[in-house]
Amino acid sequence: MSSVLITGANRGIGLEFARQYAASGWTVHAACRQPHSAGELNALGGIRLHEIDVTDHNSIDALAAKIDEPIDVVIANAGVMGPRSDQQSFGSFDYEAWRAVMEVNLYGTVHTCEAFTPHLEKGDQKKLAVLSSKMGSIADTSGGLAHYRTSKTALNMAIMASAAGLAQKGIAAGIFHPGWVQTDMGGPSALITTEECVTGLRQQIAGLPVTAKPDFLTFDGEVLPW
């Protein structure tokens, strides 16, 4: 039976990943900060709930030690937008909030990938998927939300810089822009549903090649500029 680990699994895209993989008969390790109060996640049934706080590296390491078995796919989905937009604008940056965004979107995500690399090495599929954003591309010039953008730009580069080493272990790394999705972060006016997003992302993850230079992909397979 194939297995997947999903961080930030309590809502939005992470919750839909858990739902779809569970419906497909996978062993689903669903991780979030407060799993027992995540009502929709608990209602899925047939999944393995885990507690993780990606800002606490000891928490990440503890979960990696607890799950002592191969994992086929790791999806690093946990992420935050940060404070309101006026606190992410030049001249009024909230630097403490900026550090907090980096702790989740960069350091916590990369450490999660590191901690679960041994599990992927033992798995059959060996797929590592990192949820980023088009807003992390320097080619995107729409502006604003500097905390969020820089955290995703740095995440993209961290995975790119690590891809060659992962490829030597037989692990395929993928960096994804999920699209503008109808979640708490994306809002009700977003263009696609979580179901559409995750259906597409699962197809892209399944097809990830082992390469030292992964593409930056959308949920439907478009290659984005960096």
Side-chain angles (χ1 to χ4, degrees):
M1 181 183 293
S2 299
S3 60
V4 60
L5 169 77
I6 306 156
T7 64
N10 57 310
R11 63 181 181 177
I13 295 171
L15 177 63
E16 184 61 25
F17 267 124
R19 179 181 291 113
Q20 289 197 21
Y21 277 113
S24 297
W26 286 48
T27 297
V28 176
H29 297 279
C32 59
R33 284 184 298 170
Q34 298 177 320
H36 297 296
S37 62
E40 289 185 88
L41 185 60
N42 280 270
L44 293 181
I47 62 174
R48 303 182 187 182
L49 294 173
H50 303 284
E51 183 176 339
I52 191 174
D53 180 349
V54 299
T55 66
D56 180 353
H57 290 199
N58 290 330
S59 171
I60 297 170
D61 293 338
L63 181 56
K66 175 185 174 184
I67 304 176
D68 185 20
E69 59 188 75
I71 296 177
D72 291 297
V73 177
V74 169
I75 300 174
N77 167 72
V80 295
M81 179 67 77
R84 63 181 186 269
S85 59
D86 64 327
Q87 293 174 297
Q88 296 194 48
S89 300
F90 189 82
S92 58
F93 287 140
D94 182 333
Y95 286 94
E96 287 302 313
W98 202 340
R99 291 186 185 95
V101 171
M102 286 289 190
E103 285 291 343
V104 176
N105 293 355
L106 176 60
Y107 309 130
T109 298
V110 173
H111 192 75
T112 298
C113 296
E114 284 188 306
F116 284 93
T117 293
H119 302 68
L120 288 171
E121 287 186 87
K122 298 173 186 175
D124 293 328
Q125 299 185 35
K126 297 180 174 61
K127 309 288 189 183
L128 173 63
V130 175
L131 272 290
S132 182
S133 170
K134 183 174 70 173
M135 294 172 73
S137 169
I138 294 174
D140 183 287
T141 58
S142 54
L145 294 172
H147 301 7
Y148 181 73
R149 288 177 183 275
T150 54
S151 72
K152 293 300 189 179
T153 302
L155 175 61
N156 291 351
M157 182 54 72
I159 300 304
M160 282 292 293
S162 305
L166 289 165
Q168 291 175 357
K169 300 175 185 292
I171 297 171
I175 310 165
F176 295 98
H177 167 55
W180 187 16
V181 189
Q182 295 167 12
T183 62
D184 289 347
M185 185 182 292
S189 299
L191 297 178
I192 61 172
T193 65
T194 55
E195 182 178 1
E196 291 172 306
C197 168
V198 170
T199 298
L201 285 172
R202 288 182 62 205
Q203 292 175 347
Q204 301 308 316
I205 293 168
L208 280 176
V210 177
T211 176
K213 295 183 178 180
D215 289 322
F216 185 18
L217 298 172
T218 65
F219 76 101
D220 55 359
E222 177 186 353
V223 178
L224 294 174
W226 290 96

